[in-house]
Amino acid sequence: MSIKIPQAKIYKTFSVNNLKKQFQPRNIVSAMASDGFLPVIALEAFVEAGRTYQAYKRGGFDEARERITEEFSGAVFWLGGVTGLNWLFEKLGQKILQLPKKTVDIAKDDVRNPLDNFLKGEKRTNKNATEITQKLMARFKFTKVIASVLIANAFIGFVLPKINQAITRSYHKKDKQNQNNNSQDSFIKRPEFSDFMNGNNDKKDVSFSGGWDLLTLANNFENKRNWKLLSVDAGTCSGRVYSARNNDERVEIAFRDLSSIYFYMFNMANMNKWLNQLEQGKGNSTRLDPSSAQFATEYMSNYLDTKSGQKVSVDEFAKEFLGAREGLPEAVKLKFNGKNIINLADFKVALKDLYSADKVAELEAIADKMSELQPQLKGESILTIGQAKDIINGGHINNPEFLKEFYKNAFGSEKFMDKYKYVAQDSLDSLKSDLTKYVESIVKKAKEANVREITSEILNKASRNNFKMNAINWGAGFAISAAFLSTFIPKLQYLITKKRTGQDGFPGTKEFREQEPVKNAA
């Protein structure tokens, strides 16, 4: 027997926007836990400061200036180059090829296929009467992202190193000219690093000019952070190694760039996973992000406000929020035919063989709302197998009206409902799974503590604990990545050169150091 889902009135007594403003620290931790660019940007600040400092300690002004120039300019193209160039080529494609001026995501899964929706529902010819087909879009998107990656690689791997090296040569060339034109007493020294950092250097005015289908590959390069960064890393590392001034510098660059990849992109997620398993037990490697946890907590508190004394027994709370927690009836499961989705109409037919007319009408109304959480596929409303279970099992956290607001809070928009946008169903399912585990953990801890009733105090305590553990886990990963990227990797890089050469100088200015005895003798 399924649990009746309450009407929406008790779910809409709070604002998503207000939640975001109220819990800013939670939003920051949630953003750090995401696969977006904020964690990498935050790391980059530590990297630039740490590597520039380590470079100055070893190689003085020359190495420090090269490092800050390389790190800052490279970061701009590394983080935003592919995205910016993609946008530029998209505009050129719309102008030159007369592609429709509508942004259509090209990724797809069983639940969402934006490009197919576009090709079936919109005008399919451009101004030159060329048919806009999936093949044409695939070729354009793939060519666009590959061109973007290659240009970003060329700048960071080849252009920027040459500019950096030219600036260093210009300093030393002017040093030599000054030495020939002035006595040692009146020699004009090169600027100190402190002058450079404090903006007191008025002697120099440095100018810094100078097996899958194509759609899948294009989408990965276009929309997935790690694909963007790794695609640039591959070309950047090889380009920097090729552009190095000598073999010692090549070894340093290869070690630095390759060893940095893990700590930029994978260490934080792995640390969070391992710490979650240590704290929650094997198999529990994820945790609901703090912003979503607070949203769910407000939702549950609103439910308690409708109860006498603003509290409810633990068992009733579990039953009301988690539902019946049973598998799909066989008659419904057969309708899926081994697939992940089912047409809404077929699902309703299956219900009629299982329940009374009143029950069917109730479940059909819920199913209609649930099907709106994703766009129609080929003009038909659909449900996933997980949604079908939620409809039949009931429970507050399975209410489609709540889930709509919950997903909007998590993704910051209704993109998951847009027929021309793509949000991976796996990410929605994962978020829903974390939500379920969050509610289960509240019930479990209450029972372990022999607490008979769930109150707002218990809910708020769970939310605070979730925030604390997320901050600790992601903070630990961030601290370790920052330490390695800013300090340990540069130190190991310098140690390798010292062991190989017996010298502790900056390989990039080796030729100038070798000339110093000649200048002193003169």
Side-chain angles (χ1 to χ4, degrees):
M1 189 81 177
S2 62
I3 307 301
K4 182 176 181 180
I5 298 175
Q7 297 299 311
K9 62 181 181 180
I10 73 164
Y11 306 134
K12 298 197 175 180
T13 57
F14 57 93
S15 166
V16 177
N17 292 328
N18 287 339
L19 280 177
K20 285 179 176 283
K21 292 176 183 177
Q22 282 181 318
F23 304 103
Q24 188 176 6
R26 297 177 184 274
N27 294 332
I28 292 173
V29 174
S30 295
M32 293 296 288
S34 72
D35 61 354
F37 283 97
L38 180 62
V40 181
I41 293 172
L43 278 177
E44 193 61 31
F46 286 88
V47 171
E48 292 186 20
R51 289 186 176 180
T52 301
Y53 173 70
Q54 296 297 330
Y56 180 65
K57 284 173 62 178
R58 179 182 75 162
F61 172 79
D62 280 332
E63 185 173 5
R65 190 217 47 84
E66 285 201 8
R67 194 58 51 241
I68 190 64
T69 303
E70 179 184 89
E71 294 296 338
F72 179 77
S73 302
V76 171
F77 262 75
W78 185 54
L79 295 171
V82 173
T83 300
L85 290 166
N86 262 325
W87 177 86
L88 176 61
F89 286 127
E90 189 78 39
K91 296 300 180 183
L92 290 175
Q94 292 171 359
K95 186 175 182 64
I96 297 172
L97 299 177
Q98 283 84 48
L99 295 177
K101 294 182 180 180
K102 182 186 292 291
T103 301
V104 180
D105 290 342
I106 57 176
K108 64 179 179 178
D109 56 23
D110 291 341
V111 181
R112 291 170 180 81
N113 192 336
L115 181 57
D116 194 55
N117 287 339
F118 171 76
L119 294 177
K120 285 181 168 56
E122 300 290 335
K123 184 179 179 181
R124 297 179 56 188
T125 57
N126 61 23
K127 293 179 181 179
N128 296 329
T130 302
E131 185 179 12
I132 299 172
T133 62
Q134 180 169 306
K135 186 176 182 180
L136 173 65
M137 292 291 286
R139 287 179 175 177
F140 169 71
K141 293 281 189 178
F142 184 75
T143 302
K144 179 191 70 170
V145 296
I146 292 301
S148 300
V149 167
L150 292 177
I151 292 173
N153 280 332
F155 178 81
I156 305 176
F158 296 95
V159 177
L160 182 57
K162 294 301 182 184
I163 293 174
N164 233 347
Q165 294 165 17
I167 294 170
T168 298
R169 285 197 301 272
S170 79
Y171 277 130
H172 285 272
K173 182 179 179 181
K174 290 183 180 181
D175 279 349
K176 188 173 181 179
Q177 291 173 348
N178 288 328
Q179 184 185 31
N180 293 334
N181 296 331
N182 300 278
S183 66
Q184 287 187 349
D185 290 338
S186 62
F187 177 69
I188 301 175
K189 64 179 182 139
R190 296 205 314 275
E192 294 296 328
F193 179 68
S194 58
D195 295 331
F196 180 79
M197 292 301 290
N198 293 330
N200 296 325
N201 174 26
D202 57 0
K203 302 291 184 182
K204 306 294 178 184
D205 181 16
V206 180
S207 172
F208 293 97
S209 57
W212 288 339
D213 59 42
L214 295 185
L215 283 173
T216 302
L217 289 171
N219 175 73
N220 289 339
F221 282 121
E222 191 173 37
N223 295 304
K224 293 189 177 181
R225 184 199 68 181
N226 283 356
W227 276 72
K228 289 181 183 179
L229 298 183
L230 285 171
S231 66
V232 178
D233 274 333
T236 294
C237 182
S238 57
R240 284 174 173 171
V241 168
Y242 178 83
S243 301
R245 286 159 285 201
N246 53 61
N247 287 333
D248 295 331
E249 190 177 31
R250 288 188 179 93
V251 171
E252 281 201 6
I253 290 171
F255 172 79
R256 181 196 69 203
D257 287 359
L258 293 175
S259 60
S260 295
I261 291 173
Y262 173 80
F263 292 99
Y264 265 120
M265 284 174 273
F266 304 109
N267 176 66
M268 289 178 63
N270 286 341
M271 283 294 299
N272 181 63
K273 174 182 176 181
W274 297 330
L275 289 173
N276 276 329
Q277 289 178 332
L278 183 65
E279 295 154 359
Q280 301 177 142
K282 188 176 181 180
N284 291 315
S285 60
T286 61
R287 190 190 300 270
L288 187 62
D289 70 271
S291 178
S292 296
Q294 184 59 33
F295 189 97
T297 300
E298 285 285 340
Y299 171 68
M300 290 184 281
S301 295
N302 285 351
Y303 162 80
L304 291 182
D305 289 342
T306 68
K307 297 296 181 178
S308 176
Q310 295 183 322
K311 57 187 178 181
V312 69
S313 71
V314 174
D315 288 338
E316 183 180 352
F317 177 86
K319 184 178 181 182
E320 284 280 304
F321 275 91
L322 296 172
R325 316 204 68 194
E326 299 174 355
L328 278 178
E330 194 63 30
V332 177
K333 191 180 297 184
L334 289 174
K335 290 289 184 180
F336 279 89
N337 196 26
K339 298 180 181 179
N340 186 47
I341 61 173
I342 187 176
N343 289 338
L344 177 61
D346 290 340
F347 177 74
K348 290 181 176 180
V349 169
L351 292 178
K352 292 177 181 179
D353 296 330
L354 297 172
Y355 304 105
S356 65
D358 290 344
K359 186 64 178 178
V360 168
E362 176 189 330
L363 294 179
E364 284 184 341
I366 298 170
D368 287 336
K369 290 288 185 181
M370 190 73 82
S371 70
E372 294 173 2
L373 297 182
Q374 56 274 329
Q376 290 186 331
L377 197 62
K378 297 181 180 179
E380 295 183 336
S381 297
I382 61 169
L383 295 169
T384 68
I385 194 167
Q387 290 173 334
K389 289 179 182 178
D390 289 344
I391 293 166
I392 292 176
N393 285 329
H396 288 304
I397 64 169
N398 300 325
N399 183 296
E401 293 179 302
F402 161 72
L403 288 174
K404 177 181 176 181
E405 299 301 319
F406 179 72
Y407 292 145
K408 280 169 62 178
N409 176 71
F411 292 100
S413 71
E414 295 185 2
K415 181 179 179 180
F416 58 94
M417 300 168 63
D418 190 328
K419 66 178 180 178
Y420 296 133
K421 301 296 181 182
Y422 176 75
V423 174
Q425 185 61 35
D426 286 348
S427 65
L428 292 165
D429 292 341
S430 177
L431 184 61
K432 176 65 191 314
S433 174
D434 287 342
L435 170 64
T436 301
K437 287 191 291 184
Y438 177 65
V439 177
E440 288 175 341
S441 71
I442 293 173
V443 173
K444 180 181 178 182
K445 288 180 180 179
K447 289 182 176 180
E448 289 175 348
N450 292 319
V451 173
R452 295 183 178 181
E453 296 173 322
I454 299 295
T455 64
S456 292
E457 182 181 353
I458 290 174
L459 296 179
N460 290 328
K461 183 179 178 180
S463 179
R464 290 193 298 269
N465 183 68
N466 170 276
F467 176 46
K468 180 182 73 173
M469 300 313 297
N470 268 297
I472 290 173
N473 294 354
W474 286 101
F478 182 87
I480 290 173
S481 288
F484 270 90
L485 290 167
S486 67
T487 304
F488 298 147
I489 288 177
K491 284 183 176 294
L492 288 170
Q493 166 191 338
Y494 301 159
L495 181 62
I496 290 172
T497 295
K498 189 174 183 179
K499 292 290 185 182
R500 290 181 69 251
T501 66
Q503 299 179 352
D504 197 23
F506 175 36
T509 55
K510 181 179 179 181
E511 61 176 300
F512 303 115
R513 292 198 302 276
E514 291 174 346
Q515 294 172 9
E516 287 179 1
V518 177
K519 290 193 285 185
N520 292 336

